Amino acid sequence: MKSARILLAVIVAICLAAGYLAQSGPEERIATLIRDGRRAEASREIDTVLAVGRATPHMLMTLAHLQDALGDPARATETMELYRLARPDDTAALDWLVNRYEGSEDPDGLAEALAARLQARPTRETLARLTALHRYAGRFAEERAVLQTYDRALSLDSDQVQRLAELLAAEGRDAEAISVLKRADEAAAGDGERSRTLLFTLLVQGGHHAEAARRAQGWLALWKKPWLATRFTLRLARHAPMEVAARLARTSAALHPDGGLYLAKSLGEQGARGAADAVLADWPWPETRLTVQEVQSFVEVAARFGRPAHLWGAFARLRARPAETAAQATFAEALASQFGDGVVLALQPPLAMELLRERPVFGARIALATGRRSLAQHLLATAEPGALSVPEQLDWSRLLRTAFGPLRGFEILDEVRRRGDLPAGLQASHRDLGAEIGRVSVRRSNFADANLTGRATR
């Protein structure tokens, strides 16, 4: 009797459950199957619902997870794509798809999922991933379109702005590239060297020379990079009118005086003599170091690419600086080397003795030419031949003979030799002058030279 009652209770329970399943909706039945761990049956139930077109988005999401759990990732991905069509803004589903496509090495599916994720919720991270994927796949038009779409919405970083402008320029859309770079220039927090260099190039190519020069002047003051100043100026000078190139050239030289003469020389060699001439007109710049090399280089470059007025104007400015006697003397000697002693002899007022002492060999030459023999003798006698260049040493020995005569000239040379200060380049002059006055035979002189050489070797 008791067993019959238990059996009846079980039958009633089964009937109730069957009735519930029969009368409940598909979602309740699926939930029950999943709760009971009957995932395969739940998946089949959803497939049945799908077949008759009654699946809800929630069912699709559930089915995708069930298929994935049952070891069928391909079908799970297909189902999740159906879900995405119904719920395009569900970022959790999109993240799931991105992860699945990455794991399956499906670049096209990954690109589509990333694009949908970016549209649903734009982030810089998703943008960077999507553009990198397009770039590596060679889909440059797609990369440009994505960057252009989110240019303002996400405030592209400097590298992305640079890339967008490059892609636009590569498509021949220079005006759009310039517009992008101008906005970046105005908002730049750092030096923006790469994007500004591209902007400068596009402006020059587009014939916007004055704007290119104006912007570059501000950048060069910020950058403090002389090689960039030279590069920008030379590039502009190849295309721009002379007066526009000259303005940038003068700014570049003033900012970087150590490279000003190199810039002028490069401009002249490039054929932009007008811009080179404008640079030379400002020499010496306020921060110019008036070294021997700087002064000699100015005279050489100005003689080749500048106007004579610049040479004389620069010399007049130097002569107005009493403390710059060394630079004045170097300048006068450089003028004489370029144009002959006559240009210096005609100076009014004549070169002061202090200037001639700065360059004793040159000073002695000028003093002799103007009849001041005693001054020439003083300058030559007090000069240190070891401190002179080889050409100056030879000039010094020649002027000794002229100013003092052969005998006294030899005595001065011989005294320097006895002190051990006679440079090797003057040994032949000593020998020849001694032979001329009969004080040193050629044979003895050769022996002395060999002896001196041997001591130097030891």
Side-chain angles (χ1 to χ4, degrees), residues 186-263:
E186 293 161 4
D191 61 17
E193 180 182 322
R194 290 180 62 239
S195 61
R196 283 169 168 165
T197 299
L198 179 58
L199 174 57
F200 180 83
T201 301
L202 293 175
L203 287 171
V204 172
Q205 289 177 355
H208 309 291
H209 303 129
E211 182 179 0
R214 176 179 58 79
R215 288 180 180 270
Q217 286 175 324
W219 302 335
L220 296 180
L222 170 68
W223 288 337
K224 297 179 173 59
K225 297 177 180 178
W227 61 93
L228 279 179
T230 300
R231 185 194 307 170
F232 275 37
T233 304
L234 293 177
R235 182 176 295 173
L236 182 69
R238 281 193 288 269
H239 305 278
M242 188 278 292
E243 62 274 11
V244 176
R247 285 198 296 272
L248 183 59
R250 295 176 73 177
T251 298
S252 300
L255 289 170
H256 308 288
D258 288 347
L261 295 179
Y262 173 77
L263 174 61

Side-chain angles (χ1 to χ4, degrees), residues 20-21 23-34 59:
Y20 171 77
L21 289 174
Q23 295 176 5
S24 61
E27 291 196 38
E28 289 81 358
R29 292 197 299 272
I30 293 167
T32 301
L33 292 171
I34 293 173
M59 285 185 188

Side-chain angles (χ1 to χ4, degrees), residues 122-334:
T123 66
R124 290 187 175 186
E125 179 187 1
T126 306
L127 176 66
R129 293 175 68 185
L130 179 56
T131 53
L133 191 65
H134 285 320
R135 181 163 63 252
Y136 295 146
R139 297 189 293 262
F140 302 125
E142 289 84 347
E143 180 188 3
R144 186 266 308 152
V146 172
L147 287 171
Q148 201 167 17
T149 299
Y150 295 95
D151 176 20
R152 294 179 183 271
L154 289 177
S155 299
L156 303 184
D157 62 31
S158 58
D159 289 340
Q160 291 169 330
V161 169
Q162 174 81 13
R163 182 64 180 168
L164 173 57
E166 289 172 346
L167 292 168
L168 286 167
E171 295 178 6
R173 301 163 66 173
D174 288 5
E176 293 176 76
I178 288 172
S179 177
V180 169
L181 292 168
K182 280 183 180 180
R183 284 191 285 107
D185 181 30
E186 293 161 4
D191 61 17
E193 180 182 322
R194 290 180 62 239
S195 61
R196 283 169 168 165
T197 299
L198 179 58
L199 174 57
F200 180 83
T201 301
L202 293 175
L203 287 171
V204 172
Q205 289 177 355
H208 309 291
H209 303 129
E211 182 179 0
R214 176 179 58 79
R215 288 180 180 270
Q217 286 175 324
W219 302 335
L220 296 180
L222 170 68
W223 288 337
K224 297 179 173 59
K225 297 177 180 178
W227 61 93
L228 279 179
T230 300
R231 185 194 307 170
F232 275 37
T233 304
L234 293 177
R235 182 176 295 173
L236 182 69
R238 281 193 288 269
H239 305 278
M242 188 278 292
E243 62 274 11
V244 176
R247 285 198 296 272
L248 183 59
R250 295 176 73 177
T251 298
S252 300
L255 289 170
H256 308 288
D258 288 347
L261 295 179
Y262 173 77
L263 174 61
K265 179 174 179 289
S266 299
L267 286 166
E269 291 174 342
Q270 185 175 282
R273 295 180 67 99
D277 185 73
V279 172
L280 294 167
D282 295 334
W283 189 92
W285 301 281
E287 301 299 325
T288 301
R289 296 179 295 174
L290 295 172
T291 62
V292 170
Q293 182 179 2
E294 174 74 15
V295 174
Q296 291 175 340
S297 296
F298 170 75
V299 175
E300 178 184 347
V301 175
R304 184 178 173 189
F305 298 115
R307 287 177 289 173
H310 293 336
L311 279 168
W312 298 114
F315 193 28
R317 289 192 292 274
L318 282 187
R319 294 191 80 180
R321 301 181 183 183
E324 298 291 356
T325 54
Q328 294 171 37
T330 301
F331 199 111
E333 185 175 12

Side-chain angles (χ1 to χ4, degrees), residues 44-129:
R44 287 194 297 271
E45 179 75 21
I46 297 176
D47 283 339
T48 301
V49 176
L50 279 173
V52 297
R54 294 173 56 198
T56 64
H58 179 70
M59 285 185 188
L60 293 172
M61 172 69 81
T62 303
L63 177 59
H65 287 296
L66 284 171
Q67 290 167 334
D68 191 41
L70 293 171
D72 194 351
R75 289 193 64 196
T77 303
E78 292 175 1
T79 305
M80 191 64 79
E81 285 287 5
L82 291 174
Y83 173 81
R84 182 171 70 85
L85 294 176
R87 297 284 174 82
D89 296 332
D90 189 330
T91 55
L94 292 170
D95 289 339
W96 188 94
L97 283 169
V98 167
N99 291 332
R100 279 294 178 272
Y101 283 125
E102 281 184 329
S104 64
E105 298 182 357
D106 182 353
D108 293 335
L110 178 59
E112 186 177 347
L114 284 171
R117 179 68 171 82
L118 187 62
Q119 184 175 4
R121 185 175 297 173
T123 66
R124 290 187 175 186
E125 179 187 1
T126 306
L127 176 66
R129 293 175 68 185

Side-chain angles (χ1 to χ4, degrees), residues 356-411:
L356 298 179
R357 286 198 182 101
E358 294 284 351
R359 311 288 292 181
V361 177
F362 167 70
R365 193 170 80 227
I366 298 302
L368 285 172
T370 54
R372 293 178 284 177
R373 179 177 293 272
S374 59
L375 174 58
Q377 291 175 339
H378 171 74
L379 293 172
L380 292 168
T382 55
E384 294 291 340
L388 303 175
S389 65
V390 173
E392 286 178 325
Q393 291 172 2
L394 296 175
D395 205 16
W396 177 72
S397 66
R398 181 184 61 78
L399 290 171
L400 278 178
R401 187 186 186 285
T402 303
F404 290 99
L407 178 59
R408 179 60 185 145
F410 171 77
E411 289 174 346

